[in-house]
Amino acid sequence: MALTKADMAERLFEEVGLNKREAKELVENFFEEVRAALEAGVPVKLSGFGNFDLRDKNQRPGRNPKTGEEIPISARRVVTFRPGQKLKARVEAYAGNEQ
Amino acid sequence: MTKSELIEIIASNQQHLAYKDVEVAVKTLLEQMSEALSSGERIEIRGFGSFSLHHRPPRIGRNPKTGEPVALPGKYVPHFKPGKQLRERVNDGRDRPIRSK
């Protein structure tokens, strides 16, 4: 079972008292505004959770794993997530065996 | 963009909501995501990405001061895999400079 937007909206409805439509809209808005910032070249820093950083990668040689054919991997911009100290510490404590 | 800037943007998008409610909502959302990951649950947001845990096996580390070996237990670390829409939009924005703040 994975956490989804529907679960998040449900909790905002129950715990924060937004109505269902507002809750759904807020969750949608949250992820959309993070995407929009990153698209605009703006890294996103959510303290206690983590940072979404941007990196520009140069073109590099690649290979089609099926055919072995050489094809260059084009220059691109990628997003990376760096978990914050607090999240890392909480996750590290997880001893689990589910994943 | 920081958490408080994000809260301000969402509040201006949803003007019928009190600023305080947006603030509590964003913090609740992040808390719920942290709770999920720290209990070993994945997070899946279509068009944004998924968060999961990656296992780091136990290893022998060293005390950098004394050089003494220390046994480090295995642990889990959060991992994010960007979704298709996020990947494409970030890449489409690559003509714009990456802002440092």
Side-chain angles (χ1 to χ4, degrees):
Chain A
M1 255 290 288
L3 181 70
T4 63
K5 287 193 289 189
D7 300 320
M8 296 179 193
E10 182 61 27
R11 177 138 160 196
L12 296 185
F13 167 70
E14 283 171 8
E15 215 171 280
V16 186
L18 306 188
N19 72 36
K20 297 225 174 185
R21 187 182 44 77
E22 292 165 342
K24 189 167 176 252
E25 205 176 301
L26 192 138
V27 173
E28 209 57 66
N29 239 311
F30 174 88
F31 291 105
E32 175 51 27
E33 292 304 336
V34 173
R35 275 192 299 251
L38 294 169
E39 181 177 22
V42 179
V44 178
K45 300 179 190 303
L46 304 173
S47 72
F49 187 73
N51 297 349
F52 295 92
D53 292 323
L54 295 164
R55 301 173 77 137
D56 284 323
K57 305 270 204 177
N58 291 326
Q59 180 181 307
R60 61 194 169 90
R63 217 173 256 287
N64 179 329
K66 269 192 197 141
T67 63
E69 188 193 351
E70 277 202 44
I71 18 166
I73 299 169
S74 57
R76 62 192 63 197
R77 177 171 292 179
V78 297
V79 56
T80 60
F81 175 67
R82 298 200 38 160
Q85 280 308 321
K86 201 170 143 201
L87 178 62
K88 272 205 273 192
R90 285 175 74 174
V91 163
E92 212 168 298
Y94 172 68
N97 38 26
E98 286 169 56
Q99 295 210 9
Chain B
M1 180 170 76
T2 61
K3 197 194 299 177
S4 48
E5 288 165 344
L6 177 59
I7 291 166
E8 275 170 36
I9 295 171
I10 297 173
S12 76
N13 289 347
Q14 291 184 263
Q15 295 215 356
H16 48 286
L17 295 181
Y19 181 88
K20 189 72 202 165
D21 285 345
V22 175
E23 190 178 16
V24 173
V26 168
K27 288 180 177 170
T28 301
L29 221 147
L30 289 168
E31 173 56 26
Q32 191 179 13
M33 291 170 73
S34 299
E35 279 169 16
L37 288 172
S38 30
S39 63
E41 190 184 10
R42 292 169 54 86
I43 305 171
E44 284 174 13
I45 311 294
R46 184 167 316 155
F48 186 81
S50 60
F51 296 86
S52 60
L53 299 186
H54 279 186
H55 185 63
R56 295 279 175 265
R59 61 187 182 92
I60 306 295
R62 271 181 200 285
N63 179 327
K65 267 191 198 145
T66 63
E68 205 181 322
V70 207
L72 297 173
K75 62 173 182 180
Y76 285 89
V77 293
H79 176 77
F80 175 64
K81 184 172 186 288
K84 187 162 183 275
Q85 192 201 143
L86 178 60
R87 267 196 331 262
E88 288 174 356
R89 286 175 61 179
V90 160
N91 191 46
D92 289 346
R94 74 183 187 284
D95 51 328
R96 310 190 218 180
I98 295 174
R99 280 201 253 160
S100 56
K101 216 194 142 222

